[in-house]
Amino acid sequence: MSTRIFGSGIRRREDPRLITGSATYTDDLTLPRMAHAAMLRSPHAHARITSIDTSRAAAAPGVVAAYTHADTEGAVAPAPCAWHLPDSDLKMADYHCLAKDVVRYVGDIVAVVVAESRYAAEDALELVDVGYEPLPAVIDPEAAAAEGAPQLHDEIAGNQAFHWQVAGGDVDAAFAEAEVVVSDRIIQQRLIPNAMEPRAALASYTRATGELTVWNTTQNPHIVRFLTSLVLGLSEDKIRVIAPEVGGGFGSKIAAYPADFVTMFCSRKLGRPVKWTETRTENYQATTHGRDHVQQVELAAKKDGTVLGLRCTVHAGMGAYLSTAAPGIPTILHGLMLSGVYTMPAVREDVYGIYTNGTPVEAYRGAGRPEATFMLERMMDVLAARLDMDPADVRRKNLIPRFEDGHDVVTSLTYDSGDYPAALDKVLSHADYAGLRARQKAGPANGAYLGLGLATYVEICGLGPSQVAGAIGFQGGLWESAIVRFHPSGKVHVFIGASPHGQGEETTFAQIVGSELGVDPQDVKVFHGDTDNTPMGWGTYGSRTTAVGGAALALTARKIRDKAKVIAAHLLEAAVEDMEYEDGKFFVKGAPDQHKTIGDIALMANVAWNMPKGVEAGLEASTFYDPPNFTFPFGAHLAVVEVDAETGAVTLKRYVALDDCGPQINPVIVEGQVHGGVVQGVGQALWEEAVYDEGGQLVTGSMLDYALPRADLLPDIEVLSTVTPSPHHPLGVKGIGEAGTIASTAAVYNAVLDALRPLGVSSVRMPLTPERVWQAIRDAKKSAP
Amino acid sequence: MTVPVSITVNGQRYDREVEPRLLLVHFLREVIGSTGTKVGCDTSQCGACTVLLDGISLKSCTALAVQADGAEVTTIEGLAAGEALHPLQDAFWEKHGLQCGFCTPGMIMASHELLRVTPDPSDAQIRHGLEGNLCRCTGYQNIVRAVRQAAGTTAGQR
Ligand code: FES
Ligand code: FES
């Protein structure tokens, strides 16, 4: 049975409620006496507030109250940043939940109106009178770091939030001995995560008890609870945070947001439930963005393609304030991955985190690793072009050979296991790479240039252990927890600290319990996302839920098995040492017919009529699992594109994704994660960009202007895998949530540039819209000798 | 000022007084508490709010409740026949056509329309037919598979 459950693509347990419209997301909730909040947001990217008057709004029909910063003074602390990057001269500006004196991005909250209906609250926003004195704004991180740039925070010179460096090996020597040095300037454009469910908070404060319950669209309710206790000065035991159904996050639901704290404040002040749900416009303006790097990068190599070292400087736009986890994203999660899958003797990177008048930037699917993978994978292709080698050959020359139990790399990490050459070879042969190259050599057909793009990657998942968390300044732990409870009938409840929001762990975690204990996954119900009835956990991000929480759960199931064995031995009047376990049955060695099932044991443990001496009643266990190391999933992706030289239009013809996330608990779910991840990365390469104008207005302020991937623009993705277990995870699993996004932007970009190479184009700024590609072709033609 | 409307939703008639500016989607979600239909945007781009109005699909954030006066609305909650899932629902489940589920009600209703107009669509027709519905989780591939499977059964007939 166990083999059938683990690795089986069973239907998801969470789906019946989702496909019938019976699931409850935050905005679906209504409580008695509930009022509605609407946020008045700054229309200016940077301005001084000269006056503010809410009296007309407060008097409007249906309005209950209107508040500004002055009303929250002493009652609401600034929204905290919880990643205190060490050795980086980190300067954290106060992120006031309601702006104090100055607004610093379009979307900064200036006032809140609470009314009997959402329509009434939104109507009254227009009646709040605010005087602004506009100040100069700056959006580009490099420009913001330059002399004479507008300054965002009085006490922070040069807009510099931090300067962080990672260095390993002798990078200067590497460049001194290099036979070739290639370089590029890469813009990792700002992206808008676009979880389909807008963010929302429903806060309900009970004056009589001093208790606050908050339903919140969050990826990490326990972190929100902890930060709420700090921001609102409430005692943590009186706060309950519930993440009900959450409609996607992609990193944008990690942060603990000002609007959420303001909503909680309103409920507390008014003694009634208050709900706030953002509009999509607000989501674009004020829910965190991703990426926003300007990277200057150089790669040193020998003439035969052997890589010697990488050197780079990154200006990372942080937006106007540091969001909850922001400082760790362009640094720890980026810089430590710079050597990727290659034997790289030396690296050095300087990262400057820069305040700008944009929306705060946070983790966005992949969070730091796509920006690292892109940089490295792009440079491998640039190097290949310079040396007139095939990109696959340059990669092969430098790939770390297969290893099963630990490989130290120059950035000080120890990768767990990997077989990068096998991944690359499998992709190349599946796609008939040689055949595609031959077709390409034959020249363009009807003006359509064929391009092939590779990305071989390794990423870092399963964030933990906690000791490392402390060392890197993360203000929390990074372990995970699980409780498994058997009921008398043999049915199981599982409680986990992680908080999935679409990834399907109600199913895969049931499969873990099912395969460890021989129960039907349909009999295992997984509870998550409620701080009052789940154990402490650190949340779902960084592809860590299965990599860390899944380990906690597997170990818990094994504790149950150990106890059950003792009970079974007692019931079968045998010695524990003589007991065997297989597929949910406990029996004496050599006598499998005489057995007790886990169901028999669950009944006995719960009624406890006949227990072995000294064994407690009940069949329940828990584990707090702190992993010994990260996990390192990897893979190889190939994109095949056609570029129309006349129009600049790019068509993605084929996409082959090979990802190795270790053993797959549910391959159908793994494939779904790959599909979604790849498409998000393709979106960055080809369509998506958050564009601000000179004055700091968000030009791509709605779904009309921000180009999201649509069904008709994409081919089917060909999904492959290899299986290299992690040596330190009890199930060997590594994580798959972000892999697709990490590889696909680079693969598609490389493919387009490969197609454009005969036309003399060597760099185009993302996204690769027809206009930009066409312009690049034109410019190359003009400058051709 | 309010006006009376009479709207039948999933077979049940609702007589209510509403503001003339009230959007149909808010009538569904807030006035009668039928929250299966979602709101994902404010520019009619995402399709999360898709319902059937007298059998034809409509983004319910683009219509006023008063425009649905006298009409029959079918939402995701009204698609299954009691316990028995509609073939589209079953196919989305079977083919893993959803992850977070937020786009799913609208996606299923839009697929319903697609199969009504094109009972046996090609993959390209499915992709084209769903271009007005956004999903950030699935990359659409399994949604296409689901619609294709449903097309092979009895979808669009009901
Ligand atoms: S909510 Fe109607 S289209 Fe987005
Ligand atoms: S399943 Fe999450 S948006 Fe489609």
Side-chain angles (χ1 to χ4, degrees):
Chain A
M1 189 177 213
S2 53
T3 44
R4 226 176 52 224
I5 297 174
F6 192 105
S8 152
I10 60 169
R11 293 186 185 210
R12 294 205 316 172
R13 297 212 58 200
E14 36 279 87
D15 287 356
R17 62 178 189 265
L18 297 168
I19 53 180
T20 53
S22 22
T24 306
Y25 298 81
T26 301
D27 188 52
D28 297 340
L29 288 157
T30 300
L31 294 181
R33 298 181 62 245
M34 185 176 86
H36 298 259
M39 306 292 158
L40 181 71
R41 295 182 181 275
S42 168
H44 297 283
H46 199 189
R48 191 168 301 286
I49 300 172
T50 52
S51 64
I52 183 159
D53 180 357
T54 57
S55 54
R56 285 201 304 143
V63 170
V64 178
Y67 303 113
T68 66
H69 178 82
D71 301 298
T72 62
E73 196 80 67
V76 184
C81 169
W83 201 327
H84 299 178
L85 198 63
D87 306 320
S88 68
D89 195 19
L90 181 67
K91 298 209 169 65
M92 292 183 286
D94 279 346
Y95 190 178
H96 291 290
C97 294
L98 287 159
K100 182 183 184 186
D101 306 331
V102 176
V103 288
R104 295 185 178 84
Y105 69 96
V106 173
D108 224 352
I109 307 173
V110 175
V112 56
V113 173
V114 185
E116 298 297 343
S117 77
R118 186 168 176 175
Y119 280 41
E122 280 173 10
D123 286 348
L125 290 182
E126 288 172 27
L127 302 175
V128 179
D129 299 303
V130 190
Y132 294 102
E133 176 197 322
L135 298 167
V138 61
I139 292 292
D140 178 79
E142 248 182 2
E147 280 271 319
Q151 299 293 298
L152 268 83
H153 302 281
D154 288 343
E155 66 286 15
I156 299 173
N159 295 319
Q160 187 174 303
F162 57 84
H163 168 214
W164 182 86
Q165 189 183 66
V166 61
D170 190 342
V171 86
D172 294 325
F175 276 82
E177 72 175 273
E179 292 165 352
V180 213
V181 173
V182 287
S183 65
D184 202 359
R185 181 181 153 83
I186 295 168
I187 312 282
Q188 278 281 331
Q189 78 271 33
R190 201 181 244 272
L191 301 175
I192 302 180
N194 273 291
M196 278 299 125
E197 179 204 23
R199 287 195 341 94
L202 165 56
S204 179
Y205 181 78
T206 307
R207 275 185 185 149
T209 59
E211 289 176 343
L212 174 71
T213 303
V214 186
W215 289 262
N216 191 203
T217 52
T218 178
Q219 300 176 216
N220 29 250
H222 291 90
I223 292 181
V224 172
R225 178 182 64 177
F226 179 58
L227 295 179
T228 297
S229 76
L230 300 179
V231 171
L232 295 191
L234 285 169
S235 136
E236 197 178 1
D237 62 302
K238 297 205 165 180
I239 305 167
R240 177 181 185 185
V241 178
I242 302 170
E245 211 74 66
V246 176
F250 314 111
S252 71
K253 292 173 182 170
I254 292 174
Y257 283 90
D260 302 354
F261 294 127
V262 168
T263 304
M264 296 178 211
F265 162 82
C266 291
S267 175
R268 190 177 182 189
K269 187 100 178 161
L270 298 168
R272 57 189 285 194
V274 176
K275 181 164 78 177
W276 166 78
T277 302
E278 68 182 1
T279 62
R280 183 58 64 181
T281 301
E282 282 183 286
N283 173 273
Y284 274 34
Q285 291 180 353
T287 288
T288 53
H289 292 180
R291 315 275 190 262
D292 200 18
H293 286 199
V294 179
Q295 307 172 333
Q296 195 66 49
V297 52
E298 293 173 291
L299 184 73
K302 291 202 245 175
K303 273 201 187 111
D304 67 355
T306 305
V307 165
L308 298 173
L310 182 86
R311 193 156 67 179
C312 55
T313 301
V314 173
H315 284 83
M318 307 309 294
Y321 308 96
L322 294 180
S323 180
T324 311
I329 312 302
T331 51
I332 306 291
L333 294 178
H334 176 256
L336 296 186
M337 295 313 296
L338 278 185
S339 61
V341 289
Y342 307 113
T343 302
M344 171 87 71
V347 298
R348 185 170 68 224
E349 177 184 54
D350 285 280
V351 182
Y352 297 90
I354 303 295
Y355 288 109
T356 70
N357 293 106
T359 302
V361 174
E362 251 286 0
Y364 168 58
R365 201 171 193 170
R369 288 98 92 210
E371 299 92 315
T373 300
F374 188 98
M375 179 192 278
L376 190 53
E377 290 306 292
R378 182 60 205 143
M379 293 321 292
M380 293 308 277
D381 265 34
V382 173
L383 178 65
R386 169 73 70 84
L387 297 173
D388 213 13
M389 286 175 73
D390 190 280
D393 294 335
V394 171
R395 283 176 173 77
R396 221 184 252 120
K397 185 147 206 100
N398 292 286
L399 287 178
I400 298 167
R402 174 188 164 84
F403 60 99
E404 280 168 23
D405 196 5
H407 177 86
D408 295 338
V409 299
V410 68
T411 54
S412 81
L413 294 171
T414 303
Y415 295 173
D416 56 352
S417 61
D419 192 348
Y420 312 141
L424 178 60
D425 287 344
K426 192 166 171 181
V427 164
L428 298 182
S429 74
H430 168 92
D432 183 21
Y433 186 76
L436 289 167
R437 281 286 178 215
R439 236 181 77 199
Q440 185 185 40
K441 246 207 181 111
N446 305 323
Y449 286 74
L450 188 68
L452 309 182
L454 280 168
T456 42
Y457 76 94
V458 57
E459 60 140 332
I460 183 168
C461 277
L463 296 188
S466 303
Q467 213 181 2
V468 170
I472 60 180
F474 184 73
Q475 301 298 294
L478 283 170
W479 44 266
E480 277 307 327
S481 59
I483 298 170
V484 175
R485 180 178 300 158
F486 271 80
H487 301 300
S489 62
K491 312 284 174 186
V492 185
H493 279 176
V494 169
F495 304 86
I496 59 169
S499 194
H501 42 279
Q503 299 88 343
E505 274 88 357
E506 288 176 36
T507 306
T508 49
F509 278 25
Q511 287 178 267
I512 291 176
V513 173
S515 74
E516 292 289 329
L517 291 168
V519 294
D520 186 338
Q522 302 305 323
D523 292 337
V524 182
K525 183 167 176 189
V526 178
F527 293 81
H528 56 82
D530 181 341
T531 59
D532 262 16
N533 65 24
T534 61
M536 178 72 196
W538 293 96
T540 289
Y541 43 80
S543 306
R544 64 189 298 278
T545 302
T546 305
V548 186
L553 181 57
L555 295 178
T556 309
R558 290 172 194 177
K559 285 181 187 166
I560 297 254
R561 199 200 285 172
D562 290 344
K563 178 172 180 178
K565 209 180 238 180
V566 174
I567 300 171
H570 175 71
L571 296 177
L572 293 168
E573 297 179 350
V576 177
E577 309 80 66
D578 296 336
M579 296 301 294
E580 295 233 310
Y581 167 84
E582 213 181 290
D583 292 351
K585 295 186 185 109
F586 299 85
F587 51 89
V588 180
K589 238 171 249 161
D593 292 347
Q594 279 265 16
H595 65 255
K596 295 286 170 192
T597 65
I598 187 76
D600 299 334
I601 310 285
L603 180 59
M604 179 52 72
N606 275 288
V607 297
W609 290 339
N610 182 13
M611 294 288 279
K613 233 198 191 94
V615 174
E616 282 180 13
L619 194 58
E620 173 167 335
S622 68
T623 304
F624 290 76
Y625 176 78
D626 208 349
N629 188 6
F630 305 95
T631 59
F632 295 88
F634 63 90
H637 287 205
L638 173 73
V640 182
V641 303
E642 265 176 19
V643 179
D644 184 330
E646 292 300 309
T647 63
V650 174
T651 312
L652 185 57
K653 302 298 283 184
R654 277 182 78 185
Y655 196 94
V656 183
L658 183 145
D659 298 283
D660 189 326
C661 59
Q664 301 184 1
I665 301 166
N666 184 320
V668 173
I669 288 178
V670 168
E671 191 179 319
Q673 289 295 313
V674 172
H675 290 167
V678 164
V679 167
Q680 262 174 301
V682 172
Q684 175 174 7
L686 298 182
W687 306 301
E688 298 183 33
E689 180 172 24
V691 180
Y692 289 88
D693 70 12
E694 290 277 294
Q697 292 293 327
L698 183 62
V699 177
T700 52
S702 81
M703 282 179 171
L704 259 172
D705 310 295
Y706 185 93
L708 285 165
R710 288 172 185 269
D712 57 334
L713 301 170
L714 296 153
D716 272 0
I717 293 151
E718 300 162 52
V719 178
L720 310 175
S721 61
T722 52
V723 177
T724 310
S726 172
H728 66 72
H729 188 289
L731 300 170
V733 305
K734 293 189 170 187
I736 190 63
E738 297 157 291
T741 313
I742 289 167
S744 64
T745 307
V748 172
Y749 185 93
N750 278 341
V752 175
L753 272 286
D754 183 56
L756 293 176
R757 218 179 129 207
L759 298 167
V761 177
S762 59
S763 184
V764 188
R765 191 182 159 149
M766 287 191 291
L768 301 170
T769 58
E771 189 192 343
R772 283 198 183 144
V773 172
W774 179 84
Q775 190 64 50
I777 295 171
R778 233 174 87 114
D779 293 349
K781 240 185 231 159
K782 265 198 228 144
S783 64
Chain B
M1 191 198 73
T2 57
V3 292
V5 292
S6 172
I7 304 174
T8 300
V9 180
N10 300 326
Q12 168 98 35
R13 189 172 134 182
Y14 296 88
D15 297 308
R16 295 286 190 276
E17 292 281 328
V18 301
E19 282 188 64
R21 63 173 175 164
L22 183 74
L23 297 176
L24 177 57
V25 70
H26 290 145
F27 177 85
L28 294 170
R29 290 180 53 81
E30 274 151 40
V31 177
I32 68 165
S34 183
T35 55
T37 304
K38 302 300 178 208
V39 178
C41 72
D42 44 16
T43 50
S44 312
Q45 299 295 303
C46 76
C49 62
T50 307
V51 299
L52 305 182
L53 187 74
D54 290 331
I56 295 171
S57 81
L58 169 83
K59 289 182 174 175
S60 63
C61 72
T62 63
L64 299 171
V66 292
Q67 291 173 297
D69 187 24
E72 289 207 27
V73 175
T74 307
T75 71
I76 188 70
E77 291 103 322
L79 213 53
E83 297 277 285
L85 294 176
H86 185 277
L88 269 166
Q89 291 171 314
D90 201 49
F92 269 69
W93 190 10
E94 176 70 32
K95 293 295 174 193
H96 189 30
L98 62 147
Q99 291 180 24
C100 79
F102 196 82
C103 72
T104 311
M107 203 58 92
I108 289 179
M109 299 317 278
S111 303
H112 190 282
E113 173 79 357
L114 174 73
L115 294 181
R116 186 182 67 84
V117 178
T118 319
D120 186 19
S122 65
D123 280 9
Q125 283 173 314
I126 296 171
R127 286 185 178 275
H128 184 69
L130 295 179
E131 68 180 349
N133 286 68
L134 295 173
C135 173
R136 193 58 153 169
C137 297
T138 64
Y140 303 105
Q141 190 157 332
N142 286 341
I143 293 175
V144 175
R145 286 177 178 164
V147 175
R148 197 170 53 210
Q149 161 159 319
T153 58
T154 58
Q157 312 299 309
R158 292 219 299 265

